[in-house]
Amino acid sequence: MDNLCHTLVGAAFGEAGLKRRTRFGSATLMIAANLPDLDVLVFATDIPAVAFRRGWTHGMTAQLLLPIALTAAMWAVERIRPARDHQTPIHVRWLLLLSYLGVLSHVALDLLNTYGVRLLMPFDGRWFYGDAVFIIDPWLWLALGAGVWLSRRRGMPTPARRALVVAALYIVTMSVTAGLARHVVLDNWGTTRGGEPLSLMVGPNPVTPFRREVIVDAGAHYETGTFDWFPARVTFASGRVLKNDRDPRVAQAREAPQIRGFLVWSRFPFWTFDAVPDGTRVTVGDMRFVGRGSPFVQTVIVR
């Protein structure tokens, strides 16, 4: 999810009553809810950003160690600036619990998207995809933001607690309907095309929870379409997107470091070619993010 959503989740937990458990309770929750995104620092390097994102800082080891590091940092701040008499004292145990809650909420929310998370890093680089909620969801913003605002305005935890319940119910509903939609698309594909596709994504659309984007890996090509709930139907586009992954120029392009990095992340890669004076420009993109540009596209010149 986007960082506004992560921050609102941390703030909602705080306003629901957890911020009163220890000094820095609210700050700890909001920082922890964003902490795994430390990997955005990769954008300042030459490493393809998508090759590193949602890996090391989102995996098992990071989920274990990041909360401990944050707790130590908040304790250090307390040592530098001790609490005054009227302030809530610091409780290291609660700081640790809130840090774990924030970090785990971040990973759980990221798992809902089509972008994916490498939950088992650094032991296994496999990607896991929820395909349930769009990476920027205004409905979660609205529910959580309203709960946080009302709790602060009224000085009571009830609105934030209700907002968290509403957000949880929305996520569960989107997850269940995502699974049901996937079954409908698979049945349609089997009826109209025969057999099963190599892979399939029935992902969420922004703003509209009743429509989903469909990407089907049919082997040598991809087919795209939409799934609608009212009425429940699958509509495939007339065109196909060739993978072009058997072209000998692709074999050469795969040797380039930026291409190798991109393929670590790519779920539905496809290749295009353009003639240039000194050879062929080979470009690889991903069907999930067509037209989004860098870093969702990588290019190399094959001579």
Side-chain angles (χ1 to χ4, degrees), residues 16-257:
L18 293 179
K19 70 178 183 180
R20 299 181 178 87
R21 300 294 181 176
T22 177
R23 188 186 182 200
F24 304 134
S26 186
T28 298
L29 281 163
M30 288 189 283
I31 293 171
N34 287 280
L35 196 54
D37 275 346
L38 278 170
D39 57 6
V40 298
L41 296 175
V42 74
F43 285 103
T45 72
D46 293 329
I47 301 173
V50 292
F52 193 78
R53 289 280 284 137
R54 295 196 180 184
W56 284 83
T57 62
H58 288 65
M60 297 170 60
T61 303
Q63 293 173 42
L64 176 65
L65 298 180
L66 284 177
I68 297 174
L70 178 58
T71 300
M74 302 308 286
W75 178 82
V77 173
E78 163 69 16
R79 300 290 293 178
I80 296 170
R81 299 186 62 181
R84 298 176 181 175
D85 292 339
H86 66 279
Q87 292 179 316
T88 303
I90 194 168
H91 296 285
V92 175
R93 181 178 299 178
W94 270 107
L95 281 178
L96 185 61
L97 290 173
L98 298 185
S99 295
Y100 272 110
L101 178 60
V103 168
L104 293 176
S105 75
H106 181 109
V107 177
L109 286 171
D110 280 357
L111 184 59
L112 297 172
N113 312 144
T114 61
Y115 194 105
V117 179
R118 286 174 281 180
L119 291 175
L120 305 180
M121 285 287 284
F123 308 107
D124 189 330
R126 192 185 344 160
W127 289 88
F128 296 85
Y129 308 97
D131 294 345
V133 179
F134 196 71
I135 194 169
I136 299 175
D137 194 303
W139 303 114
L140 287 175
W141 290 354
L142 181 62
L144 295 168
V148 170
W149 180 73
L150 288 172
S151 282
R152 290 183 175 178
R153 181 185 177 94
R154 298 175 182 176
M156 55 190 301
T158 304
R161 293 174 181 175
R162 289 175 177 170
L164 287 168
V165 171
V166 169
L169 290 174
Y170 172 76
I171 288 170
V172 169
T173 301
M174 291 294 286
S175 299
V176 171
T177 56
L180 295 174
R182 182 181 177 87
H183 284 299
V184 173
V185 173
L186 279 173
D187 288 343
N188 179 279
W189 183 268
T191 301
T192 59
R193 307 295 199 279
E196 292 188 2
L198 292 183
S199 61
L200 169 71
M201 185 193 85
V202 184
N205 273 342
V207 183
T208 309
F210 305 116
R211 169 168 287 189
R212 292 185 166 269
E213 175 189 7
V214 177
I215 301 174
V216 179
D217 184 345
H221 67 274
Y222 299 112
E223 294 194 37
T224 61
T226 57
F227 173 84
D228 293 281
W229 272 115
F230 301 106
R233 65 169 181 254
V234 185
T235 305
F236 284 104
S238 57
R240 297 178 175 183
V241 177
L242 295 176
K243 290 184 180 179
N244 293 323
D245 56 342
R246 300 299 179 91
D247 190 288
R249 291 168 293 185
V250 169
Q252 291 180 264
R254 289 178 185 271
E255 300 301 318

